[in-house]
Amino acid sequence: MVELSGNIPFLWRLSAESSEGFCMVSMVVPFESEDDRNDLTIETSVVSFSSDSTRSEREEMLEWNQDDMSLFLKLVTCQQQGDAAPVAESVRVDLTDPEIIEIIHVVAAAGFGTAYSSYGMLNNSVGRYPPQACDIGSFASLNTVDGFKRCVVVDMDGEDVVCVLLEEVDVVSVGEYDKLVRHDLLMVKQTDLLHPDFAGGLVRPPHATLH
């Protein structure tokens, strides 16, 4: 177990994945030199694109920024204490816990992923299902053409919202086949955000209206 506060000693490692500017994102937890343990590295599924070809050819280390820290603490607090709990100033985490590793994937996607347009991927839910009031770090679901899918809100700008998908979305569009995978980013509207219980085959939430 590791005790963490606002000054999280975490790093991101960007390692060249191809000659086309793509880098794999890993999280590194450095340990003090007098500690016998080696630095802990957690690989993620997130790929970052660098427009600077020179940067993409070498390994790069970046410190977590305040947005990374805030999102991580919010998601860990939610996982440990529930949705309604205030964000903890410090948390104790097991960095080998699959649920904590999943949170790290979400934070990496929020910081380094590229958001896709949701055009053609969502069904219109306005007037059919009540929208879910969300802020950054909230869980929600999206009414996609491939069914209801869970997501995490990671950025908001007016009516525009960026979500990290927690489930794969298969999309059959005109003349081509597209797929969004887990931890991809999707740009949606606030009215597209629904109660998270719509996804995962759970019972429809109370007060949901159908017409």
Side-chain angles (χ1 to χ4, degrees), residues 28-48:
V28 178
V29 183
F31 290 107
E32 299 296 332
S33 57
E34 62 267 17
D35 197 313
D36 291 335
R37 295 176 295 177
N38 294 323
D39 292 351
L40 173 65
T41 299
I42 299 175
E43 297 181 353
T44 78
S45 59
V46 178
V47 177
S48 174

Side-chain angles (χ1 to χ4, degrees), residues 82-95:
D83 295 346
V87 178
E89 294 183 2
S90 64
V91 293
R92 288 180 60 83
V93 297
D94 177 1
L95 294 173

Side-chain angles (χ1 to χ4, degrees), residues 41-91:
T41 299
I42 299 175
E43 297 181 353
T44 78
S45 59
V46 178
V47 177
S48 174
F49 177 74
S50 174
S51 58
D52 185 334
S53 59
T54 302
R55 286 180 59 193
S56 67
E57 291 173 358
R58 67 177 189 273
E59 186 175 275
E60 185 173 8
M61 302 291 287
L62 301 172
E63 292 185 0
W64 278 39
N65 60 32
Q66 189 59 50
D67 289 341
D68 298 332
M69 296 177 186
S70 298
L71 181 59
F72 180 81
L73 289 172
K74 172 73 179 290
L75 293 175
V76 170
T77 300
C78 178
Q79 184 254 344
Q80 294 180 346
Q81 303 181 36
D83 295 346
V87 178
E89 294 183 2
S90 64
V91 293

Side-chain angles (χ1 to χ4, degrees), residues 10-201:
F10 288 168
L11 301 172
W12 294 119
R13 174 185 289 144
L14 276 60
S15 306
E17 192 267 343
S18 73
S19 60
E20 299 175 347
F22 293 98
C23 298
M24 297 302 299
V25 180
S26 302
M27 190 198 77
V28 178
V29 183
F31 290 107
E32 299 296 332
S33 57
E34 62 267 17
D35 197 313
D36 291 335
R37 295 176 295 177
N38 294 323
D39 292 351
L40 173 65
T41 299
I42 299 175
E43 297 181 353
T44 78
S45 59
V46 178
V47 177
S48 174
F49 177 74
S50 174
S51 58
D52 185 334
S53 59
T54 302
R55 286 180 59 193
S56 67
E57 291 173 358
R58 67 177 189 273
E59 186 175 275
E60 185 173 8
M61 302 291 287
L62 301 172
E63 292 185 0
W64 278 39
N65 60 32
Q66 189 59 50
D67 289 341
D68 298 332
M69 296 177 186
S70 298
L71 181 59
F72 180 81
L73 289 172
K74 172 73 179 290
L75 293 175
V76 170
T77 300
C78 178
Q79 184 254 344
Q80 294 180 346
Q81 303 181 36
D83 295 346
V87 178
E89 294 183 2
S90 64
V91 293
R92 288 180 60 83
V93 297
D94 177 1
L95 294 173
T96 64
D97 183 342
E99 292 188 4
I100 298 299
I101 293 175
E102 169 67 10
I103 289 173
I104 291 168
H105 277 69
V106 171
V107 177
F112 296 98
T114 300
Y116 295 96
S117 168
S118 60
Y119 178 78
M121 296 186 181
L122 301 181
N123 294 318
N124 184 12
S125 296
V126 176
R128 299 198 65 210
Y129 307 107
Q132 174 81 348
C134 293
D135 56 14
I136 293 176
S138 296
F139 289 89
S141 64
L142 299 171
N143 183 13
T144 79
V145 294
D146 189 32
F148 293 100
K149 305 293 182 178
R150 281 174 59 85
C151 65
V152 179
V153 174
V154 296
D155 193 22
M156 305 184 79
D157 183 8
E159 289 298 311
D160 294 323
V161 178
V162 177
C163 300
V164 175
L165 293 172
L166 300 180
E167 299 178 70
E168 181 179 281
V169 181
D170 285 342
V171 180
V172 179
S173 55
V174 179
E176 61 183 89
Y177 176 80
D178 295 317
K179 177 185 290 186
L180 292 178
V181 300
R182 191 171 185 169
H183 305 134
D184 274 346
L185 294 176
L186 196 63
M187 177 78 75
V188 302
K189 298 296 184 182
Q190 286 198 38
T191 52
D192 295 320
L193 301 175
L194 307 176
H195 194 284
D197 284 357
F198 275 106

